[in-house]
Amino acid sequence: MKKRKFLLFTALMLVVSMVLAACGGGSEEKGGGEGQSEEKPKYMSILTGGTGGTYFPLGGSFAKIVSDATGVSTNAETTGASAENMQSIKDNKGEIAFTQTDIASYATEGKLMFDGNAIDNIKAIGTLYPETIQIVTTEKSGIKTVEDLKGKKVSIGAPGSGTAANAEQILEAYGMTLDDIQKQDLSFDESVNGIKDGNIDAAFVTAGHPTAAVEELSATEKVVIVPVDAEKADKLIEKYPYYTKEEVPSGTYKIGAAVPTVAVQAMLVVKADLSDDVVYDITKAIFENLDQVQHAKAKQIKAENALNGVGIDVHPGAQKYFDEKGIKAAE
């Protein structure tokens, strides 16, 4: 009888220990966050944008920095930019991505181009620099104002980019719609070639300035950047608060005077299930090795500004880095 009780007690304790192990098995896993993979990936992709924009060259620099710092082979991939990148993250086609802050918000909230298709597996690393909305044309086009775009062939960016939403919202501030222009859906490079060849009249380009494709255009044409008037900028910001006032400085693309416009922010996001440790290492590597980035935009990227205007949840691994540095979002 005693032997049977002992065996029953032993069996019961074995079951309890197995249950406890199953419940607590992840408590000591590296990275520890809910729903995260404890394994360090062997390969990562940074989703960027077109070769004529700013994301691609920055992404190439970031990929080398991350590879060197983490030991994870990391590669920059050219894409259709912001909106496409969000969908690609959802579809597990990349681990890190550039995007505009407004597009990231639309994605997580299931709005506009993400209506009925909310993206729930992205978290922020942080914001990088202003993404200036540049309405690009040439002197010979005769276009000087946003109203002059009526009836003209105007590129609003590649399908899947965030530029289209910016174009639509700026036109809205001027009492116009996409129906008022002959809309073209072209990448930055295609837009520049279209302007050069006379196939289109103007193009919306949302990118950090100087933008490579527009610089290329300025080598052969007298570039004009169409201004967004202060009154219209205020109207736009009132409805869409992720915009800020910005300007394209004098001398950029050989223009003679600064041109007022508006901007959103460029940001980096990651797959939410990347471990805290991996994302901490990515964040630390990028923000502490910006001296290795040759692009002019690197001078505007600062860790102390990275939590400003993020608009979506920050990955715990990135947040750990900012907490260690005492960095908080601006009030």
Side-chain angles (χ1 to χ4, degrees):
M1 186 69 178
K2 289 182 179 180
K3 184 176 182 180
R4 181 180 296 177
K5 286 183 178 180
F6 175 77
L7 290 173
L8 286 173
F9 176 77
T10 302
L12 179 61
M13 292 304 295
L14 179 62
V15 170
V16 170
S17 64
M18 290 173 66
V19 170
L20 289 173
C23 291
S27 63
E28 293 183 3
E29 289 174 354
K30 199 171 183 179
E34 184 178 351
Q36 295 176 359
S37 169
E38 73 273 17
E39 294 184 3
K40 190 175 185 177
K42 295 179 180 178
Y43 176 86
M44 292 189 294
S45 291
I46 300 180
L47 308 176
T48 64
T51 56
T54 306
Y55 290 171
F56 184 71
L58 278 180
S61 296
F62 288 176
K64 184 179 186 307
I65 288 169
V66 171
S67 295
D68 291 345
T70 67
V72 179
S73 178
T74 305
N75 186 53
E77 295 186 13
T78 182
T79 70
S82 295
E84 180 183 309
N85 290 351
M86 297 301 89
Q87 185 63 46
S88 293
I89 291 286
K90 181 176 183 178
D91 295 339
N92 296 312
K93 294 180 180 178
E95 290 73 34
I96 310 168
F98 284 79
T99 185
Q100 297 171 201
T101 48
D102 53 334
I103 301 304
S105 293
Y106 299 150
T108 57
E109 295 169 8
K111 293 181 178 179
L112 294 183
M113 69 283 285
F114 298 99
D115 187 19
N117 182 37
I119 312 296
D120 61 2
N121 68 330
I122 62 169
K123 300 286 185 186
I125 283 183
T127 56
L128 301 173
Y129 58 85
E131 288 260 61
T132 309
I133 290 86
Q134 303 164 79
I135 308 174
V136 181
T137 187
T138 60
E139 188 176 61
K140 65 185 180 185
S141 75
I143 297 170
K144 297 179 180 179
T145 68
V146 173
E147 290 92 343
D148 290 340
L149 296 174
K150 286 184 178 180
K152 299 293 183 10
K153 292 181 180 178
V154 182
S155 171
I156 63 168
S161 72
T163 306
N166 302 142
E168 188 169 7
Q169 290 161 358
I170 287 172
L171 291 174
E172 178 190 358
Y174 281 83
M176 299 165 62
T177 70
L178 293 175
D179 292 336
D180 290 314
I181 63 174
Q182 296 183 54
K183 180 176 73 72
Q184 311 289 311
D185 302 300
L186 305 174
S187 70
F188 296 162
D189 288 326
E190 291 169 336
S191 296
V192 166
N193 289 332
I195 292 173
K196 281 182 181 177
D197 297 341
N199 294 326
I200 66 170
D201 302 297
F204 282 81
V205 174
T206 300
H209 58 72
T211 307
V214 186
E215 282 193 308
E216 181 185 338
L217 179 63
S218 71
T220 57
E221 301 282 350
K222 190 168 179 58
V223 167
V224 171
I225 304 296
V226 178
V228 176
D229 303 323
E231 178 187 348
K232 297 298 193 293
D234 289 337
K235 181 178 179 181
L236 187 70
I237 293 166
E238 183 177 356
K239 185 169 184 180
Y240 306 105
Y242 38 74
Y243 283 101
T244 58
K245 289 183 178 179
E246 182 63 75
E247 67 175 27
V248 179
S250 170
T252 310
Y253 316 128
K254 303 177 185 175
I255 60 176
V259 178
T261 184
V262 291
V264 289
Q265 290 269 350
M267 71 185 300
L268 278 181
V269 300
V270 292
K271 283 181 63 180
D273 64 358
L274 284 180
S275 76
D276 291 0
D277 291 329
V278 168
V279 177
Y280 173 87
D281 289 344
I282 292 169
T283 308
K284 179 182 176 69
I286 288 173
F287 285 105
E288 295 189 1
N289 290 282
L290 290 167
D291 59 332
Q292 298 181 27
V293 181
Q294 298 302 312
H295 196 281
K297 274 296 161 191
K299 296 178 181 178
Q300 294 187 28
I301 303 173
K302 300 181 187 300
E304 54 264 36
N305 298 330
L307 296 179
N308 297 340
V310 169
I312 66 171
D313 291 340
V314 176
H315 193 286
Q319 188 64 57
K320 177 185 175 183
Y321 173 76
F322 296 126
D323 288 346
E324 286 181 358
K325 296 294 182 181
I327 296 168
K328 297 181 179 180
E331 294 293 333

